[in-house]
Amino acid sequence: MNRRKSFSYAKYGYLFSIPFIVAFILFKLYPTIYTAVLGFTDCKGLGNTNWNFLVDEPFKNYITILNNPSFQTSLKNTVELWIMNFIPQITLALILTAWFTSRRNKIRGQGFFKVVFYMPNIITAASVAILFNALFAYPKGPVNDILMSAGVLDEAFYFINNKTATRAIVAFIQFWMWYGNTMIILISGVLGINPEIFEAAEVDGASDVQIFFHITLPNLRTILLYVLITSMIGGLNMYDIPKLFSLGGPDNATLTTNVFIYNQAFSGSYMYNRASAASMIMFLIIAVLSALLFLVMRDKDEIKRKKEQKAFAKAQRALAKGAN
Amino acid sequence: MKKRQGSILFKVLVYTVCIFLAILSLMPFVIMIINSTRSTYEIQQQAISLVPSGYFMSNLEVLLGKTFDPVKGFLNSIIISVSATACTVYFSSLTAYALVAYTWKLRDTFFTVIMCVMMIPTQVISIGFYQLMYKVGMTNNFLALILPAIAAPTTVFFMRQFMLASFPMELLDSARIDGSGEFHTFNAIALPIMKPAMATQGIFSFVASWNDLFLPSILLTDNSKYTMPIMVSLLRGDIYKTEYGAIYLGLLLTVLPILIVYFMLSKYIIAGVALGGVKG
Amino acid sequence: MKKLLALLLALVMCLSLVACGGTDAPAEEPAEEPAAEEPAEEPAEEPAEEPAEEPAEESGKTVINLWAFTDEVPKMVQKYLELNPEFAEKYEVKETIIATTDGAYQPALDQALAAGGEDAPDIYCAEAAFILKYSQGDASAFAAPYDDLGIDTAAAIEAADIAQYSVDIGTRPSDGKVVGLGYQATGGAFIYRRSIAKDVWGTDDPAVVAEKIGAGSGDWEQFYAAAAELKEKGYGIISGDGDLWHAVENSSESGWIVDGELTIDAKREAFLDLSKELKDKGYHNDTQDWQDAWFADMKGEGEQGILGFFGPAWLINYTLAPNCGGTAVGEGTYGDWAICEPPVGFFWGGTWLLANKDSDVKEAVGEIIEWITLDCTETGLQYLWANGTIYGAGGTKDCVASGTVMAMSDGSVEFLGGQNMFDIFVPANQFANGKCLTQYDESINTYWRDQVRQYTAGEKTRDEAIQAFKQQVADNLDVVVNFD
């Protein structure tokens, strides 16, 4: 530990971060600040170069947005849609990870399954939207045809005009597109765990379920934190599918905050100022939630590292014992 | 005896679920392949069918008869996506290495900033981004789509988490004892260990870059610079006479390279090179 | 093993592709085809690779930048260069085509117009859905009056007898000058099935059918009476309420915005009731435009036979004809169609051409634009377009903006059983009204249609739907909304 803290190596930390920092300042920070600034101005309309800061009421745009019923709806929708797709997604991904990394019950063809499950993520959201629109077409479409010939429905159901059905479909599409991605990350995390830990547990006679909950999950914590945070950010920024599949409708049922932001900026009135205020509000919400997640999981980072060292030592002892 | 029954039941469950999910995953590809052989008329009458038809060649003719050149678009996409992916993977690993392997004063601040960037809604940032690109005259320049890939916060975050969990720091010390320079240590020792993580992130960033449409279509206005997805969207944009057969063919041709890259890198997903294993 | 499986999968996919292709024609390498078709394109690309900034200076040609959202106009301009070699010697056209589908065309065009400079568009195209923004709205200041392009606009419009709605839309209100014109005329007619008309009314004569549906009456009473008659015989009158909407939208007294305030025109509000009645009484198949079931009705394979569709000439050429289930009389519904005057005048779609006020090549731009939008000789674009001869004989015929050209052209088509469609479309173009468009229409129409569907599906009351519509407009656009 002490060796790494020694000052002579610190400069490499700065040195190796330079490319990132330069690219970051140029391509990310500038546009971000530009956006943030617009939120405090009266900049709207096309090609408007003559905008002013709102000196009297600097937070006017923010107040407008917070009082906007569509924004409130969109915030509610975003959270609901995220929960509706994330809980099944992480559950299935964890189950699949447990199955595919089980050292005792080798699943035959698991390589094939792992590869295939990620494939929905490869197709563009626009194609996925076209596909699902075709599947749920009304009054004539594959899903309606199947349900009617199976006797489930008497007459064709207008899925895309029904709020609950459309929401469920959007949540399903998100789930279907992303569970493979989550699974791959989790599996790569499990593969990164020192196999000696597992060997030691096996020697101790732990069952698969015990190993999963007591070894795999705790050791996956850093990767789980990554999954939780990125999918929360991704979920709260959900845009493609609601926009392309259902245009935020019907009756605002799938209007997410990002679709709302896009509408503010591009659907006709070019209200960049309001769009930017809405973006910043979302940024704050996400930042607070992420900070909470970090707080919950971060302390354990260090604890975990120590645990791992302990487990490693234990494993070595076990190995030594085995050798004796 | 009981245990074996349980394990058979378990296997039945696993295979049922997996096969069902596999069908769901492969469905869009099957539909894409079949529809690329059907005529626009057939697709408009029945969007989804399991029976192929014989219009593959005529769809290809429509695709090639447009004012753009799909081969060129393909090459452009390759140049952009390969470079962007290489930038993302290499520089993210480097940055994550800086965050994990060294202790420096501003490290935590730096990491917090990276996290914050990840959280900003992307839709509006793009306004500022393309206005900047117009200002500095980087339109119709692939670099405008490649260089920003150097700063990929999500990938850095992943790499950091991955290294925290499983990077054997002892290796660095032994490298130092051997007299290896820090940059050399990163390239020769750290990078190979991170291969599985790089492969997963490589796939993700290749897919994202290859499928990206909004920024390329705004920034690349010269039609010799068009990428594959732009060309497919042009086919779709012909609102009065949309050639669906050609669109599906275009989508299929767009997805094939990703599949190839994916299958090439998938050995890491399938087998994985256990990180800790290197320790030995 | 697992890797093998994955590879196998990839192989199977590739193979199935080749196999499917093989059934149609010998699998040839088609890579040379585009080169053969556009010999002018290829060589220009290679040298342009490195110094992207220099606009092909070495050829000594002046560059004209053309921006469009499909390749229709670029192809016309290529034709112009082909027909005018002396023009092609001096100028080179650089095309930028960006699709509207993913919302990228307008932001990119706006940015390019605002940025100016060498790469700024000289000629740009706008579709009916957003032309107002460029001709009358926020972006109209970028447009050059046709007068400044060396065109004697007023006289040329008069001589070509351009449809009035097209001129109205292309006229900038701030100075009353024409800044944009189209080449097509998209005035709409009622396009109906002859066999169904015969079955119900004993004749397929356009004059009789026109009377039955209340052609030119300006309201929908007669049309719904006809719908009831059809229903008795087991037919629907139209495919979905979207068909009716285009007719209602452009025949209203005022647009969505009047003096910056949201206004629901009485005729547009009535669409709620019209749509509800269609659904409740089963007068249509409840389809949505551009979806499977809508196309199926063109072939006569929907739930009930459908009498007809509202639409302009392009709907016949690009949509009805390819989906009628045949390519010659007797196959599918080919030849079983005719057109008559609609109950109310309307138009649907169209492309307008604009020029940049800062263009350095106004003369040349003017020549191209005049050839496309105002030239009414037999070598002008509109004549070639109307007669379907632009890319050789036998192409699809289309309605054009110039009445003069239409009078010189023959619009008889087999698909309509030999009827001359121009007989109906020429007056239809005069009927159409371009005064009730606003630059927000694309968004507002989406909100409106969504709420109308909510109401007709019984999810909401009429008032709730209207209130929700107003709320959506107020929340998303910079428009004053009066909630009473």
Side-chain angles (χ1 to χ4, degrees):
Chain A
M1 272 316 211
N2 276 336
R3 282 177 311 244
R4 263 181 269 133
K5 263 183 197 148
S6 67
F7 187 70
S8 61
Y9 288 118
K11 68 168 189 220
Y12 289 104
Y14 292 99
L15 212 58
F16 288 178
S17 308
I18 287 176
F20 182 97
I21 294 172
V22 171
F24 165 73
I25 290 174
L26 279 178
F27 301 116
K28 300 261 155 80
L29 193 64
Y30 170 82
T32 308
I33 291 175
Y34 183 93
T35 307
V37 166
L38 284 184
F40 297 98
T41 67
D42 60 357
C43 175
K44 62 183 177 188
L46 188 67
N48 185 345
T49 46
N50 186 27
W51 40 266
N52 301 301
F53 284 94
L54 301 165
V55 186
D56 303 332
E57 284 177 276
F59 289 99
K60 190 175 160 220
N61 294 319
Y62 287 79
I63 294 163
T64 315
I65 288 295
L66 288 172
N67 286 324
N68 189 315
S70 287
F71 180 73
Q72 293 159 1
T73 313
S74 73
L75 200 55
K76 202 175 113 255
N77 287 341
T78 310
V79 174
E80 279 176 15
L81 283 173
W82 177 58
I83 292 173
M84 273 164 72
N85 94 78
F86 184 68
I87 290 175
Q89 179 190 322
I90 190 83
T91 315
L92 183 65
L94 276 172
I95 292 174
L96 291 173
T97 306
W99 286 351
F100 290 155
T101 54
S102 162
R103 295 157 63 92
R104 290 211 191 98
N105 272 310
K106 286 264 184 241
I107 311 286
R108 238 183 245 198
Q110 55 165 294
F112 169 80
F113 290 128
K114 279 184 218 164
V115 169
V116 164
F117 291 169
Y118 173 69
M119 283 169 62
N121 208 250
I122 285 178
I123 324 164
T124 58
S127 321
V128 172
I130 298 177
L131 183 78
F132 276 82
N133 258 316
L135 280 174
F136 289 95
Y138 169 86
K140 230 184 58 163
V143 173
N144 265 317
D145 288 352
I146 290 169
L147 290 178
M148 274 157 73
S149 58
V152 181
L153 289 177
D154 290 335
E155 55 176 14
F157 182 68
Y158 204 160
F159 288 96
I160 300 163
N161 198 35
N162 181 288
K163 293 170 87 164
T164 320
T166 310
R167 256 187 228 187
I169 295 171
V170 168
F172 174 79
I173 297 176
Q174 291 283 347
F175 156 79
W176 172 76
M177 281 182 83
W178 290 96
Y179 79 90
N181 183 301
T182 309
M183 179 197 75
I184 285 180
I185 294 171
L186 291 177
I187 289 180
S188 84
V190 174
L191 292 176
I193 298 172
N194 189 340
E196 286 162 24
I197 303 175
F198 289 112
E199 279 157 25
E202 274 163 26
V203 170
D204 288 350
S207 74
D208 268 8
V209 178
Q210 280 172 325
I211 290 180
F212 184 74
F213 281 102
H214 294 110
I215 311 260
T216 315
L217 270 191
N219 278 295
L220 261 184
R221 186 166 273 126
T222 51
I223 297 295
L224 267 180
L225 177 67
Y226 167 83
V227 169
L228 276 175
I229 291 201
T230 48
S231 64
M232 187 187 72
I233 294 173
L236 296 183
N237 279 327
M238 196 187 298
Y239 171 75
D240 290 1
I241 296 295
K243 169 80 184 164
L244 297 166
F245 172 71
S246 51
L247 287 170
D251 197 21
N252 283 348
T254 57
L255 182 80
T256 62
T257 46
N258 259 19
V259 176
F260 173 83
I261 289 169
Y262 180 89
N263 284 345
Q264 295 290 310
F266 296 114
S267 73
S269 288
Y270 303 91
M271 294 181 287
Y272 297 124
N273 53 351
R274 283 212 228 160
S276 126
S279 302
M280 289 302 134
I281 292 171
M282 279 317 285
F283 167 63
L284 283 180
I285 293 175
I286 297 173
V288 168
L289 290 177
S290 306
L292 277 177
L293 269 181
F294 257 95
L295 262 181
V296 173
M297 301 190 68
R298 184 174 200 162
D299 282 349
K300 292 168 190 162
D301 256 25
E302 283 301 303
I303 302 167
K304 195 224 86 186
R305 223 186 287 182
K306 275 176 204 151
K307 242 191 207 163
E308 190 183 325
Q309 275 167 349
K310 248 190 229 159
F312 181 63
K314 195 175 151 200
Q316 272 181 333
R317 268 202 304 279
L319 266 181
K321 237 197 257 167
N324 281 340
Chain B
M1 217 36 204
K2 223 176 190 177
K3 203 168 186 188
R4 175 170 281 175
Q5 248 180 10
S7 113
I8 288 174
L9 262 175
F10 172 72
K11 288 245 154 122
V12 170
L13 172 76
V14 169
Y15 282 111
T16 318
V17 172
C18 285
I19 289 170
F20 175 70
L21 291 174
I23 292 172
L24 274 186
S25 299
L26 290 174
M27 168 195 73
F29 295 90
V30 173
I31 291 171
M32 234 186 258
I33 292 173
I34 291 175
N35 275 353
S36 69
T37 70
R38 300 168 76 214
S39 70
T40 299
Y41 164 67
E42 286 169 331
I43 296 170
Q44 284 183 337
Q45 293 297 329
Q46 193 185 1
I48 288 166
S49 158
L50 294 175
V51 189
S53 181
Y55 290 88
F56 184 78
M57 279 299 150
S58 66
N59 287 336
L60 194 61
E61 266 166 41
V62 173
L63 194 64
L64 295 172
K66 290 281 167 182
T67 48
F68 48 76
D69 177 0
V71 180
K72 185 100 189 160
F74 188 80
L75 289 177
N76 291 340
S77 277
I78 294 265
I79 295 171
I80 295 173
S81 302
V82 169
S83 320
T85 306
C87 281
T88 299
V89 171
Y90 185 79
F91 288 104
S92 298
S93 307
L94 187 66
T95 315
Y97 186 75
L99 282 169
V100 175
Y102 305 103
T103 311
W104 36 296
K105 220 177 175 179
L106 293 174
R107 185 175 74 169
D108 291 337
T109 324
F110 181 49
F111 179 65
T112 316
V113 172
I114 292 181
M115 291 304 298
C116 287
V117 186
M118 250 169 67
M119 296 165 199
I120 304 167
T122 39
Q123 252 53 50
V124 164
I125 299 303
S126 61
I127 305 172
F129 180 73
Y130 76 70
Q131 291 196 341
L132 172 71
M133 290 299 114
Y134 264 89
K135 259 182 222 156
V136 299
M138 267 172 81
T139 52
N140 285 323
N141 189 336
F142 290 164
L143 288 180
L145 295 165
I146 295 171
L147 291 180
I150 292 173
T154 326
T155 313
V156 174
F157 182 35
F158 179 81
M159 293 291 185
R160 172 187 180 267
Q161 299 305 89
F162 192 79
M163 289 174 96
L164 273 184
S166 35
F167 193 82
M169 290 300 165
E170 294 82 353
L171 273 185
L172 299 187
D173 297 328
S174 49
R176 278 174 195 152
I177 293 164
D178 293 347
S180 160
E182 292 298 310
F183 191 55
H184 179 258
T185 310
F186 169 72
N187 284 318
I189 295 171
L191 272 191
I193 294 178
M194 284 155 72
K195 263 188 201 162
M198 286 165 67
T200 23
Q201 289 299 310
I203 292 168
F204 297 164
S205 88
F206 187 85
V207 169
S209 164
W210 185 274
N211 283 341
D212 194 11
L213 177 62
F214 189 74
L215 276 180
S217 50
I218 285 182
L219 292 175
L220 306 174
T221 57
D222 178 348
N223 70 1
S224 66
K225 298 266 162 76
Y226 284 177
T227 62
M228 278 297 275
I230 295 183
M231 293 181 177
V232 175
S233 86
L234 281 179
L235 285 174
R236 282 184 47 222
D238 212 337
I239 32 184
Y240 299 122
K241 38 174 178 172
T242 317
E243 296 278 1
Y244 288 103
I247 290 174
Y248 277 102
L249 179 60
L251 288 176
L252 186 67
L253 293 179
T254 313
V255 104
L256 274 182
I258 316 184
L259 282 182
I260 291 167
V261 170
Y262 178 52
F263 290 139
M264 267 164 40
L265 292 176
S266 66
K267 75 170 185 195
Y268 293 103
I269 291 166
I270 296 162
V273 181
L275 263 195
V278 186
K279 241 188 247 178
Chain C
M1 180 62 201
K2 286 134 201 167
K3 204 174 143 200
L4 240 158
L5 260 171
L7 274 172
L8 214 78
L9 186 77
L11 249 167
V12 167
M13 290 183 127
C14 297
L15 273 179
S16 63
L17 249 179
V18 175
C20 297
T23 57
D24 192 42
E28 237 175 83
E29 281 306 303
E32 295 103 299
E33 273 197 312
E37 245 184 50
E38 291 144 9
E41 279 281 302
E42 266 341 271
E45 269 175 24
E46 296 318 314
E49 190 71 51
E50 294 274 84
E53 288 78 26
E54 295 171 44
E57 288 285 315
E58 59 265 41
S59 64
K61 290 183 183 178
T62 314
V63 171
I64 298 174
N65 287 306
L66 167 66
W67 283 53
F69 49 90
T70 67
D71 63 359
E72 199 166 82
V73 175
K75 276 190 167 167
M76 291 176 183
V77 175
Q78 279 169 18
K79 183 78 186 175
Y80 182 75
L81 294 178
E82 203 179 291
L83 291 174
N84 298 279
E86 69 292 350
F87 187 90
E89 263 168 38
K90 276 191 282 176
Y91 299 102
E92 180 188 344
V93 176
K94 222 170 98 185
E95 309 157 349
T96 297
I97 311 172
I98 303 174
T100 54
T101 14
D102 300 279
Y105 181 65
Q106 293 185 59
L109 177 59
D110 297 346
Q111 193 63 42
L113 285 171
E118 217 155 59
D119 288 332
D122 294 301
I123 306 176
Y124 50 104
C125 303
E127 212 262 342
F130 51 86
I131 169 68
L132 262 280
K133 176 173 137 195
Y134 295 95
S135 67
Q136 304 183 0
D138 293 346
S140 63
F142 294 116
Y146 275 22
D147 288 340
D148 295 359
L149 306 172
I151 304 174
D152 185 0
T153 319
I157 287 177
E158 172 111 40
D161 186 20
I162 300 293
Q164 189 56 39
Y165 83 93
S166 180
V167 179
D168 287 344
I169 288 171
T171 304
R172 183 162 59 194
S174 57
D175 54 6
K177 292 198 163 156
V178 172
V179 295
L181 283 178
Y183 46 93
Q184 274 173 314
T186 57
F190 187 62
I191 310 156
Y192 64 92
R193 293 269 305 279
R194 287 173 185 269
S195 57
I196 294 178
K198 258 189 200 149
D199 188 23
V200 179
W201 295 310
T203 174
D204 61 357
D205 182 2
V208 179
V209 176
E211 199 180 312
K212 282 282 176 194
I213 63 162
S217 63
D219 64 49
W220 297 96
E221 223 164 284
Q222 189 61 36
F223 189 77
Y224 275 71
E229 281 179 50
L230 283 156
K231 188 69 199 171
E232 272 169 34
K233 292 259 185 179
Y235 295 112
I237 192 161
I238 46 177
S239 179
D241 71 349
D243 295 302
L244 194 65
W245 170 246
H246 296 289
V248 171
E249 181 191 6
N250 287 308
S251 62
S252 64
E253 307 297 326
S254 62
W256 286 123
I257 314 283
V258 176
D259 299 326
E261 190 177 327
L262 178 71
T263 312
I264 306 179
D265 184 89
K267 286 186 178 166
R268 289 186 180 184
E269 190 175 330
F271 178 64
L272 275 166
D273 310 311
L274 291 172
S275 177
K276 182 85 175 161
E277 190 176 348
L278 282 173
K279 171 135 182 154
D280 290 350
K281 296 193 174 159
Y283 289 164
H284 64 16
N285 278 345
D286 205 8
T287 64
Q288 254 190 295
D289 10 349
W290 310 110
Q291 297 221 346
D292 296 19
W294 190 62
F295 292 117
D297 281 338
M298 299 176 183
K299 204 166 54 166
E301 292 190 348
E303 215 181 314
Q304 54 185 353
I306 291 301
L307 178 67
F309 294 83
F310 284 104
W314 62 259
L315 190 79
I316 298 176
N317 295 326
Y318 299 148
T319 314
L320 288 172
N323 283 293
C324 71
T327 49
V329 177
E331 292 174 23
T333 59
Y334 198 95
D336 188 32
W337 297 84
I339 59 174
C340 70
E341 225 182 289
V344 298
F346 71 101
F347 76 96
W348 180 10
T351 302
W352 278 256
L353 274 82
L354 299 106
N356 190 339
K357 67 172 176 15
D358 297 324
S359 172
D360 296 328
V361 282
K362 287 213 180 74
E363 292 275 303
V365 165
E367 277 182 53
I368 294 178
I369 287 188
E370 186 166 18
W371 179 72
I372 293 179
T373 62
L374 289 162
D375 186 341
C376 40
T377 63
E378 291 197 6
T379 52
L381 171 100
Q382 300 205 24
Y383 186 83
L384 299 172
W385 194 255
N387 292 285
T389 49
I390 179 163
Y391 309 118
T396 44
K397 295 176 178 178
D398 200 354
C399 247
V400 293
S402 159
T404 315
V405 172
M406 294 284 270
M408 292 154 51
S409 310
D410 174 23
S412 336
V413 279
E414 290 277 283
F415 180 76
L416 299 175
Q419 189 183 6
N420 184 345
M421 61 176 181
F422 294 167
D423 291 347
I424 304 291
F425 281 123
V426 172
N429 293 331
Q430 305 306 326
F431 245 148
N433 169 5
K435 290 192 169 152
C436 48
L437 294 185
T438 74
Q439 64 167 329
Y440 305 110
D441 282 357
E442 217 177 350
S443 305
I444 299 184
N445 283 341
T446 310
Y447 302 137
W448 177 243
R449 296 281 306 277
D450 181 24
Q451 292 303 331
V452 171
R453 273 198 294 277
Q454 293 292 317
Y455 169 62
T456 53
E459 309 263 350
K460 277 190 176 175
T461 67
R462 196 174 184 279
D463 281 344
E464 276 167 2
I466 291 177
Q467 286 305 315
F469 165 67
K470 285 182 175 172
Q471 190 65 54
Q472 279 179 322
V473 173
D475 289 352
N476 288 303
L477 297 167
D478 195 14
V479 168
V480 180
V481 177
N482 184 12
F483 297 91
D484 21 57

